[in-house]
């Protein structure tokens, strides 16, 4: 339940955690935002963010439950359109206040190829190379492991989809103006039930998210805080959720560099090896 809870709290942010997982500032836009109702502002933020194909995200996921507490810190630069590419890094993964050794790593995705540098996987990489190369289509065909599905989840760090889920809130309100990383923003807060959040998504996205959320959580509430800049783009998002057994999960995402172009370069070929499936499966 704890893992599901963290996913529920963050909605689409979970993918960045799994794989690590600029624009507007100040100006008169914040004043204009103050003239919008909170519900109108959430809709506008979702629409405006949907136009941004690239962005940076710094993610922190924390959770507590019967198994103790845990924390994930990750960051990445993402391009969602016209083709997916990203460069992401898992900075910290801890349980019970202690860092899990070897869990930190990097991931690059470009041209339908995933490159991963994760200490815990090093013994499964051919030639003792630091980087693992996984051809998404070939890996799915030969191993049956749906890496394409995993890659597809990365697209769910899209801030447009996150804010779209929160447009289902019936009690959203404006808190005021605050600075986030030196940028003037308007702060909104509210709650939304899991079901109302799902209802705001298209059919395809809704079905994917339902796989992460147990049915019994449909009426559970997600508490959220959203800070948008003068261009109505999210600069910070905090979402929290509590489970029926006292579990808690919080996801904080800082967004920046909307619309900034970047290029993902594969690691040097002499530093890249293939995954030894036989070794990974114990020789079977």
């Amino acid at each position: 339940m704890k893992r599901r809870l963290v996913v529920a709290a963050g909605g689409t942010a979970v993918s960045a955690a799994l794989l690590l997982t600029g624009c507007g500032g100040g100006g008169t836009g914040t004043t204009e935002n103050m003239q919008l109702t909170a519900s109108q502002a959430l809709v506008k933020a979702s629409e405006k963010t949907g136009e941004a194909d690239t962005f940076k995200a710094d993610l922190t996921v924390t959770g507590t439950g019967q198994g103790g507490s845990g924390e994930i810190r990750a960051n990445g630069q993402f391009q969602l359109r016209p083709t997916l590419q990203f460069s992401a890094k898992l900075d910290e993964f801890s349980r019970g206040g202690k860092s899990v050794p070897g869990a930190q790593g990097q991931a690059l995705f470009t041209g339908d190829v995933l490159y991963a540098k994760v200490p815990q996987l090093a013994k499964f990489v051919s030639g003792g190379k630091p980087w693992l190369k996984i051809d998404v289509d070939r890996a799915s065909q030969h191993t049956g492991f749906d890496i394409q599905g995993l890659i597809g989840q990365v697209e769910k760090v899209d801030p447009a989809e996150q804010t779209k889920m929160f447009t289902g809130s019936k009690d959203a309100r404006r808190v005021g103006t605050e600075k986030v990383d030196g940028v003037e923003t308007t702060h909104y807060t509210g709650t939304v039930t899991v079901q109302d959040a799902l209802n705001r998504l298209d059919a395809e996205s809704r079905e994917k998210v339902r796989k992460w959320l147990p049915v019994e959580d449909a009426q559970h509430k997600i508490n959220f805080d959203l800070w948008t800049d003068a261009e109505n783009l999210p600069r910070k998002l905090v979402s929290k959720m509590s489970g029926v057994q006292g579990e808690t999960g919080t996801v904080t995402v800082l967004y920046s560099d909307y619309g900034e172009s970047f290029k993902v370069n594969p690691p040097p070929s002499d530093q890249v090896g293939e995954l030894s499936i036989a070794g990974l499966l114990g020789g079977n």
Side-chain angles (χ1 to χ4, degrees):
M1 178 63 181
K2 176 184 172 185
R3 179 175 179 273
R4 283 180 169 177
L5 176 62
V6 173
V7 174
T12 59
V14 66
S15 352
L18 286 173
L19 282 184
L20 300 180
T21 305
C23 186
T28 60
T30 302
T31 302
E32 295 172 358
N33 290 352
M34 295 295 287
Q35 299 173 2
L36 301 174
T37 66
S39 296
Q40 290 173 334
L42 288 173
V43 171
K44 198 170 185 65
S46 178
E47 294 174 345
K48 185 68 176 180
T49 312
E51 301 171 3
D53 297 330
T54 62
F55 58 89
K56 283 185 178 180
D58 287 89
L59 171 74
T60 301
V61 181
T62 60
T64 60
Q66 295 180 346
S69 62
E71 181 176 82
I72 293 172
R73 293 182 181 274
N75 66 81
Q77 191 167 20
F78 303 85
Q79 174 184 289
L80 300 180
R81 292 167 292 271
T83 58
L84 175 66
Q85 65 170 342
F86 63 80
S87 173
K89 184 179 180 182
L90 177 60
D91 295 315
E92 180 70 23
F93 178 39
S94 62
R95 290 176 179 169
K98 296 182 179 180
S99 179
V100 177
Q104 294 78 12
Q106 293 176 259
L108 306 174
F109 183 76
T110 182
D112 280 337
V113 176
L114 173 67
Y115 299 91
K117 187 178 183 181
V118 182
Q120 285 187 335
L121 292 179
K123 61 183 178 180
F124 303 118
V125 182
S126 62
K129 306 294 185 179
W131 283 92
L132 167 65
K133 176 181 178 180
I134 304 175
D135 183 292
V136 174
D137 292 329
R138 288 183 57 193
S140 298
Q141 293 172 5
H142 295 296
T143 69
F145 182 62
D146 186 16
I147 296 177
Q148 182 64 65
L150 186 59
I151 294 296
Q153 289 185 32
V154 175
E155 297 174 285
K156 299 304 177 283
V157 298
D158 186 349
E161 186 163 304
Q162 289 206 14
T163 51
K164 191 172 184 178
M165 291 177 69
F166 297 144
T167 61
S169 173
K170 296 179 175 62
D171 61 3
R173 62 183 177 85
R174 183 173 52 245
V175 177
T177 58
E178 301 171 22
K179 284 192 174 181
V180 175
D181 286 341
V183 176
E184 194 71 26
T185 67
T186 304
H187 179 189
Y188 303 93
T189 189
T191 64
V192 62
T193 66
V194 170
Q195 187 61 60
D196 285 340
L198 289 173
N199 289 343
R200 292 291 173 162
L201 302 177
D202 59 44
E204 182 179 357
S205 297
R206 188 162 55 246
E207 287 307 309
K208 290 180 180 179
V209 173
R210 274 179 173 161
K211 295 178 181 178
W212 308 336
L213 300 175
V215 176
E216 60 267 28
D217 280 349
Q219 296 305 314
H220 278 48
K221 287 187 176 181
I222 301 173
N223 296 273
F224 66 87
D225 287 90
L226 175 69
W227 291 257
T228 62
D229 65 16
E231 303 296 328
N232 296 110
L233 292 166
R235 284 289 182 160
K236 182 179 180 180
L237 190 153
V238 178
S239 51
K240 302 178 181 180
M241 187 173 177
S242 298
V244 294
Q245 298 181 357
E247 313 94 313
T248 63
T250 301
V251 173
T252 301
V253 189
L254 295 175
Y255 290 107
S256 63
D257 290 6
Y258 288 102
E260 296 289 330
S261 61
F262 70 98
K263 182 176 177 58
V264 175
N265 295 310
S269 58
D270 62 352
Q271 297 295 306
V272 179
E274 301 287 341
L275 179 65
S276 172
I277 299 298
L280 184 61
L281 300 178
N284 295 325

